[in-house]
Amino acid sequence: MRISTTSCLCPFLVCLCFIQRCYGASHHVPAKVLSKNQTKLANGETEVHHRPKRGWIWNQFFVLEEHMGPDAQYVGKLHSNSDKGDGSVRYILSGEGAGTIFIIDEVTGDIQATKSLDRERKTHYVLHAQALDRNTEEALEPKSEFIIKVQDINDNAPTFPDGPFVATVPEMSEVGTSVLQVTATDADDPTYGNSARIVYSILQGQPYFSVDPKTGIIRTALANMDREAREHYTVVIQAKDMAGQVGGLSGSTTINITLTDVNDNPPKFPQKNYQLYVPESAQVGKPVGKIKANDEDLGVNADIKYSIINSEGANMFSITTDRDTREGIISLKKPLNYERKKTYTLHIEGVNTHMDPRFSYLGSFKDSTTLKITVGDVDEAPVFSMDYYIMDVYENAPSGTEVGAVTARDPDSRNSPVRYFMDSKEDGERYFRIDESTGVVRTTQPLDREDIPWHNITVMASEVDNPSLLSHVPVTVQVLDVNDNPPEIATDGEVIVCESSRPGQVIQTVTAVDKDDFANGQRFSFALPSQLPVNPNFTLKDNEDSTASIIARRRRFNHLTQELYELPIVVWDGGEPSLSGTSTLTLRVCPCQRHGRIRMCQGEAFLSSAGLSTGALIAILLCIVILLAIVVLFITLRRSKKEPLIISEEDIRENVVTYDDEGGGEEDTEAFDIIALRNPAAAEELKFRRDVRPEARQHCIPPRGHRSPSVELDEVDVHEFIKQRLVDADLDTSVPPYDSLQTYAYEGQGSPTGSISPLDSPGTHSEQDYNYLDDWGPEFQKLAELYGEAESDVTT
């Protein structure tokens, strides 16, 4: 049985000691101390005498914690069966706290605690007891272990190690909704008594919250708690030990509870009618005003989407939501015009975007209001009747010719007069002027289409009463064409006349150019001047396709006799009225290749353009010849230089003679003569040459130019010649290598086709065109001339 106080425990310990002593007296067995433990019997054997065990007499000891008395606290008594009460037994105590916390009376065996103990620090102590004979110091009892337990008292109050606490719970939660669980700890012994049995109670926070006395779970105790009415609550929870009985210890903690928001409030416009003033000069797409509906909720529960629900307002205005301020931003969709419409009425609606179905019974979460917008009159700049103007005028028109007119008006209701003028920064002011009151554009000077075909000017308009308000409009003036430019012959340079030109040969085709512009295309006609005598050298043919051909009238020109000719040509255009122009062409006579390709004029032009004299050309050619001679000499010296066969006397190696002779085939007669390697005796016997052609048969042979290949093959027996050479090669044993292969290109005889050589063909007229020889370069120039002359003779 556990006693809570020391005064209650002392009688219990006294009774316990009395029971111990009675029990020891009734069960005491006197100890017989033997002087010897061995004796000898008559038959000489040894008898062993065993000393009986003596028992310790004690129970488990208890000591009360937190003893505050002036005297040492009695713990218990040790007693041995060997103790006769005469003081011959000495008791010794050892182990945890022996001699410091616990002391023992060596004679009586009484144990006392000299210090106050704390069970929460150490619950028990393990000690060892020993009984000794005071005279002999022999152990009367074996060393034994016993435990002194520290008995708990309620000296520790419950605590909340994790407090204070912070918790949240949604507003409008049902009664009994769990908020948080708190747990208190008690350092007292939970297995003994009620010192560590805790009960929870609420000290502050009623009637909004409650706590479970056993588990410490805090729950809501009041329905429909509104965050908008009260958001924060402070709850104090108490934990008391001894199962809540009187005299128990207690501890407390604080819980700060916050109600979180739910969407339980619809948006509300503070007013049902609003007014807004917007000037007509407001820019499209820019904000013109703001409106806001209030919502007592927080976060996404207070998000509002605004909209204009009537068509009159939705056509002219738009509304968007500012995410930060939750305001409705009203912007202009179309330009305002005070003169057309002075007021607009907007029906605006605000709706929550995040609905909570639990609160649908509260009604629709939206609200509406009316916004009346008044359009303000603003003095505006004049407005042109068109966004841009395109005008035209003929070139060469006299100064002051009317080009066109622009019109602008004052859009305001008072309709102020407008003044026109041109931008002085542009070049168009030099060519045009505008009437200030009528807006008529006129020329200041005659215009030339060939100089500037288009003019871009800017016309400005301002009110007479308010010159600071300006409007601009672009004006494009096109200059129309008239036939005021005569045509001319289009030439890229001189016309070349070949010395070998024939009568009727086309020298060159010419075209004409005209600066004027014809809508249907330019048409030109050509002719020689009628007032001049007939040109004996050249004539002109109109091809009737806006081109003309210059034709030679005589044969053979000579640039040494006359190099330059002039040919005037008259050209008419197809305009109204038609204009004509005379152009003189210069014709240069040059020696040419076939088909009029220039041969000498280009060389002369090159020399003349380069500006080099004959002496300079000779000097340049001489330098080139000297350089070539030096290069040839250098190459010759390098080839004639030979390396020594043996570098030094000390360099002992095989003497290898190399010959860089690749041979020149059958026609190479200067190659290394291999006959020196043959046997001299055999070489003397070899008197015939192997490269001698076979002898022809001795009969009459026609000239070579009149023989066919088939006849020639019949005259020479090639078959017999090859057999003879094979026999000679087999019998010749002096020539290395002794196995040799000799081939002869004999393809047979008797071709029935005959000769295809052009030498045997008769000299008939050929239709072959040798003009392609002109494209083969200067190497075939002479051949081209020969065939050209032969062709001319045949034609003649």
Side-chain angles (χ1 to χ4, degrees):
M1 181 176 179
R2 180 168 180 157
I3 306 299
S4 60
T5 61
T6 307
S7 60
C8 298
L9 185 63
C10 290
F12 171 76
L13 295 177
V14 172
C15 294
L16 183 63
C17 294
F18 175 76
I19 293 172
Q20 280 183 335
R21 292 183 179 182
C22 293
Y23 178 81
S26 61
H27 293 79
H28 178 68
V29 178
K32 297 180 180 180
V33 180
L34 303 177
S35 59
K36 294 182 181 179
N37 54 5
Q38 290 183 352
T39 58
K40 287 186 178 181
L41 299 179
N43 55 5
E45 295 181 358
T46 302
E47 180 183 4
V48 179
H49 299 278
H50 297 280
R51 185 176 61 185
K53 294 183 179 179
R54 297 176 177 84
W56 287 102
I57 301 176
W58 68 70
N59 286 336
Q60 190 176 30
F61 295 134
F62 295 89
V63 59
L64 196 65
E65 70 169 335
E66 304 293 345
H67 176 70
M68 304 301 294
D71 299 330
Q73 183 180 183
Y74 182 77
V75 177
K77 184 180 181 66
L78 296 180
H79 184 73
S80 174
N81 293 337
S82 301
D83 190 358
K84 303 299 184 179
D86 53 0
S88 61
V89 178
R90 184 165 69 92
Y91 297 96
I92 298 176
L93 189 66
S94 63
E96 296 179 343
T100 56
I101 299 176
F102 302 102
I103 58 176
I104 189 171
D105 189 326
E106 294 183 354
V107 177
T108 62
D110 294 330
I111 302 173
Q112 292 180 334
T114 60
K115 295 182 179 180
S116 177
L117 304 180
D118 187 0
R119 190 202 67 83
E120 286 70 37
R121 291 186 179 180
K122 191 171 180 62
T123 59
H124 63 277
Y125 295 85
V126 179
L127 292 97
H128 300 275
Q130 192 174 11
L132 302 177
D133 190 324
R134 187 179 297 275
N135 298 322
T136 62
E137 293 296 327
E138 292 183 359
L140 300 177
E141 298 290 346
K143 190 175 184 179
S144 182
E145 179 182 285
F146 67 98
I147 297 175
I148 298 178
K149 287 189 175 182
V150 182
Q151 190 174 11
D152 181 55
I153 64 173
N154 190 17
D155 59 342
N156 291 277
T159 59
F160 294 89
D162 298 329
F165 301 91
V166 176
T168 59
V169 63
E171 64 172 333
M172 310 299 289
S173 296
E174 297 180 356
V175 176
T177 302
S178 177
V179 179
L180 180 70
Q181 182 179 12
V182 294
T183 303
T185 59
D186 195 323
D188 292 326
D189 189 1
T191 63
Y192 180 76
N194 295 326
S195 298
R197 186 179 177 185
I198 300 174
V199 175
Y200 300 95
S201 62
I202 184 168
L203 300 181
Q204 180 182 339
Q206 294 175 333
Y208 306 103
F209 299 95
S210 63
V211 64
D212 190 298
K214 294 182 179 180
T215 62
I217 298 176
I218 302 172
R219 304 179 185 273
T220 57
L222 189 64
N224 299 328
M225 286 191 293
D226 192 0
R227 185 201 65 80
E228 289 74 28
R230 182 178 177 182
E231 185 176 3
H232 301 287
Y233 295 85
T234 301
V235 178
V236 178
I237 301 297
Q238 183 189 61
K240 190 173 183 181
D241 60 11
M242 297 296 294
Q245 298 177 5
V246 178
L249 303 179
S250 64
S252 62
T253 187
T254 301
I255 301 97
N256 295 313
I257 301 176
T258 302
L259 298 182
T260 58
D261 183 68
V262 296
N263 191 9
D264 59 341
N265 293 278
K268 293 289 183 181
F269 286 101
Q271 300 175 211
K272 288 299 181 183
N273 294 283
Y274 292 89
Q275 290 186 353
L276 181 63
Y277 173 83
V278 180
E280 64 174 336
S281 60
Q283 297 181 8
V284 175
K286 299 293 183 180
V288 295
K290 299 178 181 179
I291 194 170
K292 184 178 181 181
N294 297 326
D295 194 326
E296 295 180 355
D297 295 322
L298 299 176
V300 296
N301 297 320
D303 287 345
I304 302 174
K305 180 182 179 181
Y306 298 93
S307 59
I308 301 174
I309 58 178
N310 65 320
S311 59
E312 177 187 355
N315 291 333
M316 291 296 297
F317 299 91
S318 63
I319 186 169
T320 57
T321 303
D322 189 310
R323 293 185 178 180
D324 297 330
T325 62
R326 294 188 174 90
E327 294 176 328
I329 309 299
I330 302 171
S331 302
L332 188 62
K333 293 175 65 176
K334 297 180 181 179
L336 297 175
N337 192 331
Y338 174 80
E339 288 71 28
R340 294 182 180 179
K341 190 172 180 61
K342 297 179 176 60
T343 60
Y344 292 90
T345 301
L346 279 65
H347 296 296
I348 300 175
E349 184 180 68
V351 182
N352 279 144
T353 57
H354 296 79
M355 303 295 295
D356 194 335
R358 295 181 301 168
F359 307 104
S360 59
Y361 66 91
L362 297 177
S364 60
F365 281 72
K366 63 181 180 180
D367 195 17
S368 60
T369 187
T370 301
L371 175 62
K372 184 178 181 179
I373 296 179
T374 302
V375 181
D377 187 18
V378 178
D379 192 6
E380 300 175 87
V383 178
F384 286 94
S385 60
M386 300 177 65
D387 295 334
Y388 60 91
Y389 293 86
I390 298 178
M391 305 175 183
D392 53 60
V393 62
Y394 281 99
E395 65 175 332
N396 302 326
S399 178
T401 301
E402 181 178 345
V403 179
V406 298
T407 57
R409 65 175 183 84
D410 182 12
D412 301 322
S413 57
R414 57 185 179 179
N415 197 14
S416 299
V418 178
R419 183 175 64 90
Y420 303 95
F421 57 95
M422 298 180 63
D423 191 354
S424 59
K425 298 179 181 179
E426 296 181 350
D427 294 337
E429 193 176 13
R430 298 184 304 167
Y431 304 97
F432 306 94
R433 58 184 174 85
I434 188 171
D435 190 282
E436 290 186 358
S437 58
T438 61
V440 176
V441 180
R442 299 180 183 273
T443 61
T444 60
Q445 57 181 312
L447 304 178
D448 187 3
R449 188 202 67 85
E450 288 73 33
D451 184 17
I452 304 177
W454 294 87
H455 293 270
N456 296 317
I457 60 177
T458 301
V459 176
M460 295 182 291
S462 66
E463 295 181 10
V464 176
D465 299 337
N466 190 1
S468 61
L469 295 176
L470 297 176
S471 296
H472 303 75
V473 67
V475 178
T476 301
V477 179
Q478 180 183 9
V479 182
L480 302 178
D481 182 61
V482 297
N483 192 18
D484 59 343
N485 292 278
E488 298 176 355
I489 297 296
T491 56
D492 297 333
E494 295 178 340
V495 178
I496 302 301
V497 180
C498 292
E499 291 182 341
S500 59
S501 298
R502 299 185 299 273
Q505 181 177 348
V506 176
I507 303 301
Q508 187 167 335
T509 300
V510 295
T511 59
V513 293
D514 196 330
K515 294 182 180 179
D516 295 320
D517 182 21
F518 297 96
N520 297 324
Q522 296 180 344
R523 295 288 185 269
F524 301 104
S525 58
F526 304 83
L528 296 177
S530 58
Q531 67 273 15
L532 296 179
V534 177
N535 194 322
N537 301 312
F538 305 97
T539 186
L540 188 69
K541 177 186 177 182
D542 191 347
N543 299 325
E544 297 182 357
D545 60 352
S546 297
T547 64
S549 300
I550 302 174
I551 301 175
R553 300 190 65 178
R554 68 183 182 87
R555 179 184 179 87
R556 296 292 182 182
F557 293 87
N558 193 339
H559 74 285
L560 299 179
T561 304
Q562 183 176 351
E563 184 179 4
L564 301 177
Y565 293 88
E566 291 184 352
L567 180 65
I569 301 175
V570 182
V571 186
W572 289 271
D573 60 18
E576 290 292 337
S578 178
L579 298 180
S580 64
T582 302
S583 301
T584 302
L585 297 181
T586 301
L587 288 73
R588 179 184 294 274
V589 178
C590 290
C592 300
Q593 299 177 2
R594 287 181 59 82
H595 303 293
R597 296 190 180 182
I598 301 173
R599 177 180 175 184
M600 298 299 296
C601 293
Q602 290 183 351
E604 295 172 1
F606 170 75
L607 294 177
S608 61
S609 62
L612 298 177
S613 62
T614 305
L617 287 175
I618 295 175
I620 292 174
L621 293 176
L622 184 60
C623 292
I624 293 174
V625 171
I626 294 174
L627 289 176
L628 291 175
I630 293 174
V631 171
V632 172
L633 180 61
F634 176 74
I635 294 175
T636 304
L637 291 176
R638 263 188 95 174
R639 288 185 175 180
S640 62
K641 184 178 179 181
K642 296 183 179 179
E643 297 292 338
L645 296 179
I646 299 178
I647 300 175
S648 62
E649 295 180 358
E650 289 81 4
D651 190 5
I652 301 174
R653 65 183 73 181
E654 295 181 359
N655 296 331
V656 180
V657 181
T658 60
Y659 296 92
D660 296 332
D661 189 356
E662 299 179 354
E666 296 178 356
E667 297 179 359
D668 188 2
T669 57
E670 296 181 359
F672 180 79
D673 190 4
I674 199 172
I675 199 170
L677 300 178
R678 297 179 178 178
N679 188 355
E684 291 295 333
E685 296 177 0
L686 187 61
K687 298 298 183 180
F688 60 89
R689 291 183 58 185
R690 297 178 180 273
D691 57 350
V692 177
R693 297 179 59 184
E695 296 179 358
R697 296 181 180 177
Q698 300 296 329
H699 54 78
C700 182
I701 301 174
R704 183 176 182 85
H706 300 281
R707 291 182 295 173
S708 63
S710 59
V711 175
E712 188 174 358
L713 289 174
D714 292 338
E715 295 171 358
V716 180
D717 191 353
V718 182
H719 231 9
E720 294 297 331
F721 173 76
I722 294 175
K723 290 181 179 181
Q724 184 63 36
R725 287 292 180 261
L726 289 175
V727 172
D728 295 342
D730 293 338
L731 297 178
D732 189 2
T733 58
S734 62
V735 181
Y738 301 104
D739 289 335
S740 61
L741 176 64
Q742 300 187 16
T743 61
Y744 298 90
Y746 174 59
E747 299 179 355
Q749 59 185 0
S751 176
T753 59
S755 175
I756 59 173
S757 173
L759 299 178
D760 297 336
S761 60
T764 59
H765 174 65
S766 175
E767 297 180 357
Q768 177 70 31
D769 186 7
Y770 298 98
N771 295 334
Y772 62 88
L773 295 176
D774 295 336
D775 301 329
W776 287 12
E779 295 84 355
F780 297 89
Q781 185 61 42
K782 190 63 177 177
L783 183 61
E785 292 178 357
L786 292 174
Y787 276 98
E789 293 178 358
E791 181 182 357
S792 299
D793 295 341
V794 172
T795 304
T796 303

